[in-house]
Amino acid sequence: MTKRTMDINCDVGEGIGNEAELFSMISSCNIACGVHAGSKETIRLCLKLAQKYSVSIGAHPSYPDKENFGRISLDINDEDLIKSIDDQMQLFTTECIKLGVSLHHIKPHGALYNDVAKDEHKAQVFLKAIAPYKEKVFLYVPCGSVIQEMALATNFKIKREAFADRNYNNDLSLVSRNQENALISNGQAVLEHLLLMYNENVVETLSGEKIPIYADTYCIHGDTPDASQILTYITKHLPKYKLQSKP
């Protein structure tokens, strides 16, 4: 029986320094663009690893907030946010051009990701900021989100994303990182969480409910201490289920 390929993406270039361990086990990556973490040097490092391991390349723009790692919503006016995202994308695409690699997708980071998932105005501003890339790349969006619907309505190409290493609330929002049970850090638990979403299109929420969810790509955060161990466990065990994380 032919193995099915599951797209596993990872947020990288965020200062952890574990990228060399991760890229052989993922199929797409989201590279920090320098304002919540990262720099031109880390972008270049990750692009080279993506090239080496045939990993689809994504830009991971954020609110400009290194102090809080982009995880707090900023009170920033529309023009400044658009300029910040444009600057991040210019930095990122310049390095892509230098290395002769192609941008595959864009995925907002942290608080920006959560804000555009539920706030129509923020979603509209973000879509305006990345409009120059609309025809060429995918946008990674949360399943069932405001930005998913707005992106589809304006002819953006999307891939719906779910999180393999995060717990969900019943409304498909992620459990806040302020809560102890926000993260799933055990490899076996992450695999079970992932397989349920992939095979049955449901996610078991923190309350025990099973809520419909549909995803084209599954994220494991590269900035968690257990990222390498989780990916190693998943890579080892997926073949038992006729699955693989790389083509």
Side-chain angles (χ1 to χ4, degrees), residues 7 12 29 39-40 42 59-60 71 81 104 106 119 160 245:
D7 183 41
V12 294
C29 66
S39 64
K40 181 163 60 176
T42 57
H60 201 33
R71 286 188 174 150
L81 180 56
H104 173 263
I106 298 170
D119 185 310
R160 299 165 298 181
S245 59

Side-chain angles (χ1 to χ4, degrees), residues 37-165:
S39 64
K40 181 163 60 176
E41 289 70 31
T42 57
I43 291 170
R44 190 179 301 123
L45 168 69
C46 291
L47 291 176
K48 288 180 177 178
L49 285 168
Q51 192 174 31
K52 178 180 179 180
Y53 290 104
S54 300
V55 171
S56 297
I57 292 166
H60 201 33
S62 169
Y63 283 127
D65 185 15
K66 281 197 173 184
E67 182 180 354
N68 297 299
F69 199 69
R71 286 188 174 150
I72 294 177
S73 296
L74 286 191
D75 183 13
I76 181 172
N77 67 50
D78 297 352
E79 292 75 17
D80 287 344
L81 180 56
I82 290 171
K83 184 179 185 307
S84 175
I85 293 169
D86 183 58
D87 288 346
Q88 292 175 67
M89 293 303 302
Q90 289 293 331
L91 173 67
F92 192 88
T93 55
T94 296
E95 294 306 310
C96 288
I97 291 167
K98 286 179 183 177
L99 291 173
V101 297
S102 299
L103 178 64
H104 173 263
H105 65 274
I106 298 170
K107 173 187 168 182
H109 164 79
L112 182 59
Y113 184 95
N114 293 332
D115 287 349
V116 300
K118 61 183 185 245
D119 185 310
E120 285 191 11
H121 181 72
K122 283 282 176 69
Q124 183 179 43
V125 172
F126 184 76
L127 292 174
K128 182 178 179 180
I130 64 167
Y133 307 93
K134 177 179 181 177
E135 303 298 327
K136 297 180 179 179
V137 307
F138 291 95
L139 174 61
Y140 281 16
V141 295
C143 173
S145 61
V146 165
I147 194 169
Q148 173 184 309
E149 299 311 312
M150 293 180 70
L152 288 173
T154 49
N155 298 315
F156 278 83
K157 299 185 296 182
I158 69 162
K159 286 189 180 289
R160 299 165 298 181
E161 180 179 44
F163 290 85
D165 61 353

Side-chain angles (χ1 to χ4, degrees), residues 2 5 25 36 38 71 81 85 109-110 184 207 216 227-228 231 239:
T2 304
T5 300
M25 299 183 283
H36 77 279
R71 286 188 174 150
L81 180 56
I85 293 169
H109 164 79
I184 307 172
S207 69
D216 306 296
S228 180
L231 281 166

